[in-house]
Amino acid sequence: MQLRDALRTAPAPAPRGLREWLLRPAGPVAIAGLVVVLLARAARVAVRFTQGGMDNGFVLHAGQTWLHGGSPYADRRFLYMPSAVLFAGAQALLPSPVVRVVVPLVCVALLGAGWWCAVRLFRVPPLSRFSVLGLLGLVLLWAPFGHLVNLGNWTVVGALALPLALLLADRGRWGLAGVVLGISVAVKPLLLPVALLLVLARQWRALAWMLGLPAVLSLGAALLMPNPSAFFTRTLPFLLKGGDALMRPYDSSLGAVLPRLGVPAVAAEVIAVACAAAVVTCAWLRWRRPGEGAARLADTAALLMLASFLVSRPAYDHYLLVVVPLLLAGALEADSVTRSPWFWVALVPQVPSFTFPLLDVPTRRAFKDVWTLTVLTLVLALWCARSPRRERAPWSTRVRRRRAPIPDGAEPPRRPAPRNGRP
């Protein structure tokens, strides 16, 4: 008997679960692979585009016009506030070869830093397998990431500013979070809907920073440029009309897509506003739900941003980089929206290899983008508006109840008598 016991192999340790495996360090090979992929993504843009991307080229041209004494709003494609002219002018001072290399590198770095802030918001180690593989998946398997880097669009500032501001707010530093949001709005006013989050949280000092910084910078820049009123007389009307023939086919907001399907323009705007109002209501319900934590901040901010994308003009696919990485970073949480299969169904059209008849033409991509936008918004809104679920212990810690053995000669316990004839 002793010999048989000695020959037995040691029992294999029980698996610790996928979550613990993802939280382990990624290792130098995975980190090096991620760095190579990010650098290759930036190098591809530097080789193909001379000004860091088409959208960055418009900003660069506006900054050069301002430095030469002209009005940056002479080009109607410069769609930013006067405060953004200061940043555009700083970029215009760089030599053209430097801009060509630096802009895609900065875009990739800001997107990576935004993902790092998002995972740190949920207390995930920055060099864990989840962090490294998650960012690698966004680069390789999600088309808006590549679109944003190709364009060099300044949405990258919002992609970093929102998770960074939420990370600071979660740590109790609301004032500094308002400063971060204010700088982001001064560069590009994409994150203005997050002001409602500060109102819900009653963080008035942070709200003052968020709105005051871009106002002061815009006023100062307006004093340094000719005809600053063109922002109100030329740029805003241009945006409210949906842009021009180059912009409209790529606009995925409801007000732009529904008329392409035969819905009258006025009805489309009414539908968009009604949907946005419903989503804001769901964000309010999510904020009122008991319990603090990162998920409350992330879900509420994501809903507010998605509501603005439904009604704003224009709304492009790369705007989702402000929202989706923030939601994906909370995938390890017990009550994350990523547990819903419909969340992943919404993201399927954004896989680079996904093709669909009649939608392969670039000018029809907005139909795939509006699917992702509306389904993602609907899933997150319903997920946040529902009543909170009871917390359940993980499978590895559940203990099954076992019946106590019945002694010899004892009678088994009887079930209680039924009530009203029902068992």
Side-chain angles (χ1 to χ4, degrees):
M1 194 66 181
Q2 295 178 356
L3 179 61
R4 184 182 300 177
D5 294 338
L7 293 177
R8 288 179 179 175
T9 57
R16 298 183 178 180
L18 180 61
R19 187 179 189 277
E20 294 188 7
W21 184 85
L22 289 173
L23 292 178
R24 293 175 183 174
V29 176
I31 296 175
L34 175 62
V35 173
V36 170
V37 169
L38 292 175
L39 291 177
R41 176 75 261 187
R44 179 177 180 271
V45 178
V47 170
R48 296 186 58 184
F49 303 99
T50 58
Q51 297 180 330
M54 181 179 66
D55 289 357
N56 187 73
F58 297 142
V59 178
L60 182 63
H61 180 263
Q64 292 171 347
T65 302
W66 176 58
L67 292 178
H68 288 85
S71 173
Y73 295 106
D75 185 357
R76 62 179 181 177
R77 299 193 183 279
F78 182 70
L79 306 176
Y80 301 96
M81 297 169 57
S83 56
V85 178
L86 302 175
F87 302 94
Q91 182 186 187
L93 294 174
L94 300 175
S96 180
V98 175
V99 173
R100 183 173 188 169
V101 175
V102 169
V103 169
L105 286 175
V106 170
C107 288
V108 169
L110 292 181
L111 291 173
W115 170 254
W116 182 84
C117 292
V119 296
R120 291 304 299 147
L121 175 64
F122 292 96
R123 270 71 174 182
V124 176
L127 298 181
S128 63
R129 290 169 177 169
F130 178 80
S131 301
V132 174
L133 296 178
L135 182 56
L136 188 62
L138 285 173
V139 179
L140 298 178
L141 303 177
W142 210 48
F145 189 101
H147 295 166
L148 182 55
V149 179
N150 288 343
L151 294 171
N153 193 279
W154 284 15
T155 300
V156 295
V157 178
L160 169 61
L162 182 57
L164 176 57
L166 297 182
L167 177 63
L168 294 171
D170 186 58
R171 304 301 193 267
R173 308 183 68 179
W174 285 94
L176 191 55
V179 173
V180 171
L181 293 173
I183 295 175
S184 176
V185 172
V187 175
K188 183 174 183 176
L190 184 68
L191 299 185
L192 269 178
V194 185
L196 291 176
L197 174 62
L198 302 181
V199 173
L200 292 175
R202 298 182 180 181
Q203 297 294 331
W204 311 118
R205 180 177 299 180
L207 182 64
W209 278 111
M210 179 181 180
L211 301 180
L213 270 178
V216 171
L217 292 176
S218 294
L219 180 60
L223 297 176
L224 300 176
M225 70 175 66
N227 193 20
S229 61
F231 173 74
F232 300 98
T233 61
R234 183 181 178 89
T235 302
L236 286 182
F238 179 74
L239 286 174
L240 295 176
K241 293 179 181 178
D244 55 9
L246 178 63
M247 300 169 57
R248 292 191 192 100
Y250 301 94
D251 189 352
S252 60
S253 62
L254 291 181
V257 174
L258 291 180
R260 298 177 65 179
L261 298 175
V263 180
V266 176
E269 293 295 339
V270 172
I271 293 173
V273 172
C275 292
V279 175
V280 171
T281 303
C282 293
W284 174 70
L285 293 175
R286 177 63 180 94
W287 182 259
R288 291 191 60 189
R289 185 185 302 175
E292 302 290 339
R296 183 190 185 198
L297 288 168
D299 292 346
T300 305
L303 279 176
L304 293 175
M305 292 305 304
L306 290 172
S308 68
F309 298 157
L310 290 175
V311 73
S312 65
R313 301 289 299 275
Y316 299 121
D317 63 331
H318 55 78
Y319 286 5
L320 293 174
L321 275 168
V322 179
V323 175
V324 172
L326 190 62
L327 299 175
L328 288 175
L332 298 181
E333 297 292 316
D335 201 26
S336 171
V337 70
T338 58
R339 304 297 176 93
S340 171
W342 288 102
F343 175 86
W344 303 100
V345 170
L347 302 184
V348 167
Q350 305 302 328
V351 177
S353 59
F354 176 83
T355 58
F356 195 83
L358 303 178
L359 298 183
D360 295 336
V361 181
T363 53
R364 295 176 181 171
R365 180 178 176 83
F367 294 105
K368 296 197 295 185
D369 299 336
V370 77
W371 166 269
T372 299
L373 175 60
T374 54
V375 174
L376 180 63
T377 304
L378 179 62
V379 172
L380 183 59
L382 295 178
W383 191 270
C384 294
R386 80 200 191 290
S387 58
R389 298 179 177 179
R390 296 179 180 178
E391 296 183 0
R392 301 177 64 185
W395 286 99
S396 59
T397 60
R398 294 181 188 175
V399 180
R400 295 182 178 179
R401 296 180 180 178
R402 298 181 178 179
R403 295 182 179 179
I406 302 174
D408 295 338
E411 295 183 0
R414 298 181 179 179
R415 294 183 179 180
R419 298 179 180 179
N420 299 329
R422 297 181 180 179

